[in-house]
Amino acid sequence: MSTERLIEALVADRDTPTITPARAVWWSVAAGGVVAAIGFFLVLDVRPDLAAVLLSWRFLTKAAFVFALIGVAIGEVVARSRPDARPDLRTWTLLPVAVLIAGIGGEVATQPAADLLGLGHGMHPITCLFFIAGLAAPVFVALLVALRWTAPASPSACGAAAGVLAGAIGAALYSLYCTDDSPLFLATWYVLALMPLGLLGALFGGRLLRW
Amino acid sequence: MSGDEDHWAALMRAANRGDAAAYRTVLGEIAALVRGVVRREAAARGAVVDVEDVVQETLLAIHLKRGTWREDQPLRPWVRAIARNKLVDAMRRRGRRHEVPIEPFAETLATEPPVRHGLGGAVERLIGALPSRQREVVRAVALDGLETREVAARLAMTEGAVRVALHRGIRRLARVIGGTS
């Protein structure tokens, strides 16, 4: 077929909607997030002492970490879902790491040295790993489906960012249940839960997001 | 360069608002640019690719992925990125791995006419393999140059159904060509 003819077909098809990366991400976060939230309230539910700890600095550190990570990950997924995306990480992606480091500093400064190891281990590390991954799953699937409409320069990098975003949303929900408030626990187990999600995202993204 | 860039971006923005003439113009100019770049690039590395196939694959991707272009950004780097992706794909399909440097895409203003005006090529073959409704609609629009309204009358379909069939046909073409999923 001549290219002119193909162009005519494309022109005739111009009214069909296209999806922008931002919209793809917001929709998957909303849809996956609702499913994950329903699962959360069915299986886990909010910790009973939430009101009491809500304004403690350790809980706020946890909240700041997950929300910073969600913000950074949304930005990264959107940016990386474009064909002309730059490969380098931007400085602001270090924000969640900075929150984590500040939290660890505060914990080490205020807690007796002998307790630190126990605080890092926490009460429910395996529950944490398991549920963050489980709560991340709906968002993960929704993101991989929606991002197929985009054109990432590097499908695996975009997928990795999507995996971390899904994990961050799982972590945000889980943090409402989790009673391990130490930033040391956060830096160990939350981060350990997020890493395989980023890896899975890179793996699936590399296969599913090619265009 | 910025004047030219503004011109392209303005056309694409108009196209996004439904301006058929602007869309036709910008796709034509993009085709000419991509054609020149792909031809030179393929010749430079002695690679055997069907230039017009790569041009058409690039146009299909541009059409289906146009939501990934930001209206406040220049159009050309986005087009170059898509063309590069499609050229690498085409070379890979030929069984050789190629890294395509970005430079040949950087400052190309040459516009070259297509070699092939008649039928033939990968896209035409693949249209034949589409499900019947999609095939009829894509052919009527692309080969006979009919409006969707006329296609609807000819095939006794609603205009909406014609649009859906056309869009599905185009998406399927792009998928099959890329060899992904």
Side-chain angles (χ1 to χ4, degrees), chain B:
Chain B
M1 130 127 215
S2 78
D4 208 46
E5 191 52 79
D6 290 348
H7 165 69
W8 274 34
L11 281 174
M12 196 63 176
R13 275 194 297 272
N16 283 348
R17 308 284 175 283
D19 184 336
Y23 198 34
R24 189 176 291 118
T25 307
V26 77
L27 287 179
E29 292 184 15
I30 286 172
L33 170 82
V34 172
R35 186 176 297 129
V37 171
V38 171
R39 189 172 293 161
R40 248 191 319 285
E41 182 61 24
R45 44 192 66 235
V48 187
V49 294
D50 185 319
V51 173
E52 213 52 22
D53 281 352
V54 179
V55 170
Q56 296 186 1
E57 286 166 38
T58 305
L59 290 175
L60 277 167
I62 281 171
H63 175 69
L64 294 173
K65 309 290 187 178
R66 62 197 187 281
T68 64
W69 173 63
R70 280 168 58 183
E71 295 205 335
D72 57 350
Q73 296 290 310
L75 192 68
R76 200 166 297 228
W78 178 78
V79 167
R80 280 201 298 267
I82 293 175
R84 214 159 66 89
N85 184 302
K86 291 301 163 193
L87 177 57
V88 171
D89 268 5
M91 288 176 168
R92 197 170 286 158
R93 280 202 301 276
R94 297 274 170 174
R96 289 171 59 179
R97 263 195 78 91
H98 285 279
E99 293 299 322
V100 179
I102 207 155
E103 291 75 38
F105 292 86
E107 279 307 328
T108 306
L109 295 167
T111 58
E112 297 188 28
V115 200
R116 186 171 64 227
H117 282 281
L119 302 179
V123 173
E124 172 62 17
R125 269 198 317 282
L126 293 168
I127 289 177
L130 289 176
S132 59
R133 257 303 135 91
Q134 294 173 18
R135 186 178 63 236
E136 289 168 33
V137 169
V138 172
R139 281 201 168 136
V141 172
L143 300 185
D144 308 336
L146 298 184
E147 299 284 324
T148 48
R149 183 170 30 81
E150 298 165 325
V151 179
R154 182 203 274 188
L155 299 177
M157 299 165 72
T158 65
E159 249 192 277
V162 170
R163 285 178 198 284
V164 169
L166 177 63
H167 186 65
R168 291 204 176 137
I170 286 173
R171 265 174 47 200
R172 186 185 281 253
L173 281 181
R175 261 208 322 273
V176 175
I177 288 179
T180 50
S181 66

Side-chain angles (χ1 to χ4, degrees), chain A residues 1-3 5-16 18-21 82-83 148-151 210-211, chain B residues 18 20 24 52 56 59 63 65-68 70 78 81 85-86 117-118 120 123-124 142-143 167 171 180-181:
Chain A
M1 178 170 58
S2 77
T3 300
R5 294 303 199 187
L6 176 67
I7 289 176
E8 284 312 312
L10 301 182
V11 169
D13 191 45
R14 74 191 177 283
D15 289 337
T16 48
T18 53
I19 192 163
T20 64
R82 299 202 160 92
R148 282 178 60 86
W149 291 83
T150 68
R210 287 183 47 222
W211 49 280
Chain B
R24 189 176 291 118
E52 213 52 22
Q56 296 186 1
L59 290 175
H63 175 69
K65 309 290 187 178
R66 62 197 187 281
T68 64
R70 280 168 58 183
W78 178 78
N85 184 302
K86 291 301 163 193
H117 282 281
V123 173
E124 172 62 17
L143 300 185
H167 186 65
R171 265 174 47 200
T180 50
S181 66

Side-chain angles (χ1 to χ4, degrees), chain A residues 24-80:
Chain A
V25 171
W26 284 114
W27 272 105
S28 358
V29 167
V34 167
V35 173
I38 292 171
F40 173 81
F41 286 110
L42 285 177
V43 180
L44 294 175
D45 216 339
V46 172
R47 64 195 279 185
D49 61 344
L50 183 67
V53 297
L54 201 57
L55 293 179
S56 68
W57 75 267
R58 293 160 105 206
F59 186 82
L60 288 176
T61 303
K62 191 153 67 170
F65 171 70
V66 293
F67 282 111
L69 194 63
I70 289 174
V72 164
I74 286 178
E76 282 299 306
V77 176
V78 170
R80 285 175 189 285

Side-chain angles (χ1 to χ4, degrees), chain A residues 104-149:
Chain A
I104 293 170
E107 190 76 339
V108 170
T110 53
Q111 303 295 323
D115 292 354
L116 293 179
L117 202 61
L119 286 167
H121 184 269
M123 301 295 286
H124 306 291
I126 302 307
T127 318
C128 166
L129 293 180
F130 179 76
F131 278 110
I132 287 181
L135 293 167
V139 184
F140 187 75
V141 172
L143 275 171
L144 283 177
V145 170
L147 288 170
R148 282 178 60 86
W149 291 83

